[in-house]
Amino acid sequence: MAAKASISEECIDMTTPWNEYLSAKYKRSFAYQTVRNRLPVTVTQVVDHLSRTKEEIAQSYGEDAQEEVKQVIGYLSRLKNEMQTNKPLTPLSEDYVDVELWNNFLKKAEQEKGRPLLWFADEWLHIECYLYRRIKEGFLQTRLLREYDPFRHQKEDAFTGSLQAVSVVGNHLLELSKSKEADLERTILQFLKLSLWGNRCDLSISGGKDIAQVENPLDMVSKLDDLILANDLEKVWAAMNSVSSKSQTIDIIFDNSGYELFTDLCLAHLLIEFKLADKVRFHAKRVPWFISDVMEHDFNWILQEMENKSTVPCLPELSSKWKGFVNSGRWTFNAEPFWTLPYSYDKMKEIDSKLYESLGESKLLIFKGDLNYRKLVCEMNWYHTEEFAVALRGFQPAPLVTLRTVKADVVVGLRAGQAEEIAEIDSDWLLTGKYAVVSYSS
């Protein structure tokens, strides 16, 4: 597997040691399974999609786009080979807003290690982020397809496949919004849990296979409390309901599109309607990321798709309301470059002090999903009983919470013996999204 230049970095047949960074160099880790199996499949699926839809792409982007599709396919095929043969990570070349930041990162890493980064030798977070940035690079080398999102169709299918569940949640939201007798705390906690469990719908974990929310979500979330391994929901409610906070802005750092994005927007709706915030700032990705992550066109598309769904009456009504929030400035959408850099969040103050200071103006930061969690806890194999606040390694611009279903072999904030108890009955408990954590730090 290893290239000659990396003989000393051959993969080790062991699990990730405690307090080491997650890496594919440990064969019994999820990082190894990801780099060896899941990431090549992701690249292959993009190639297959481009091959199948090249005529449709030409109709939308012009005849010359067919040649550009061939060019991107060739680029991605070479990328897949680099990964599978453990070649060094190479600098980016195409002009883009983040190219200098990425290349500075790669250069500094090479200086520190005395060699370039390698797919199977170095920190999983860096490797996985680099792969998606390289996929973007393939499209940046074209003229017509620079902004093409090869995952867009999957994200949109994931939403339309969840319309039954969306309808249930949407109708419930409207009923609560119009009720003068709604129990505010109970309502907010319910929608926090809907947003939390919506995170199960992650296309990067499913290998891009369709994931639709088909169960009645209101019934489902009421039964899942025992699967929330670290549960700070009451602290989150207290932070949201605080009257002592100088700020009335709440930030939501998005994860997945589709049904999960819908649940996030429902939560943001309640924050405005019930005056827990006078502004909600959304943060999303600037480039196609981990298959299902939210980009600006996904956000705009879901609002428009809801408007068009006259067969589900609650959706046009909600779309109109939400577009009003956007137009009035009560909802704002941001796609800062930092979110698609390889850095864990303890580096944000150094790398993007402006973003750090902006987040510091918030009443509460809500981080969604697995990748945000990995970046928050610095991609390290902490002891499961380590405190969440310690694992943040100083990242605390404002009170923050992570709503995350567990899909990678790192988790903190558990009580003594809890991880061992779960492992006895479910050996894959860290990987499937069956369990969740709601971890808060002020």
Side-chain angles (χ1 to χ4, degrees), residues 167-181:
S167 173
V168 170
V169 175
N171 279 315
H172 183 56
L173 174 66
L174 287 175
E175 289 171 10
L176 290 168
S177 296
K178 294 167 184 174
S179 170
K180 294 181 179 178
E181 299 178 3

Side-chain angles (χ1 to χ4, degrees), residues 362-404:
S362 187
K363 180 181 185 180
L364 178 68
L365 309 174
I366 303 173
F367 287 89
K368 291 299 308 292
D370 205 71
L371 179 61
N372 275 323
Y373 187 89
R374 288 167 54 191
K375 288 191 168 189
L376 282 166
V377 303
C378 307
E379 192 74 336
M380 184 175 284
N381 191 32
W382 300 96
Y383 288 106
H384 299 316
T385 53
E386 185 58 85
E387 293 180 19
F388 179 58
V390 172
L392 292 172
R393 291 206 302 203
F395 178 74
Q396 191 73 62
L400 63 88
V401 63
T402 176
L403 305 180
R404 176 238 188 174

Side-chain angles (χ1 to χ4, degrees), residues 123 176 207-208 264 293 369 382 399 416 422:
E123 196 171 328
L176 290 168
D264 296 341
D293 282 27
W382 300 96
I422 300 165

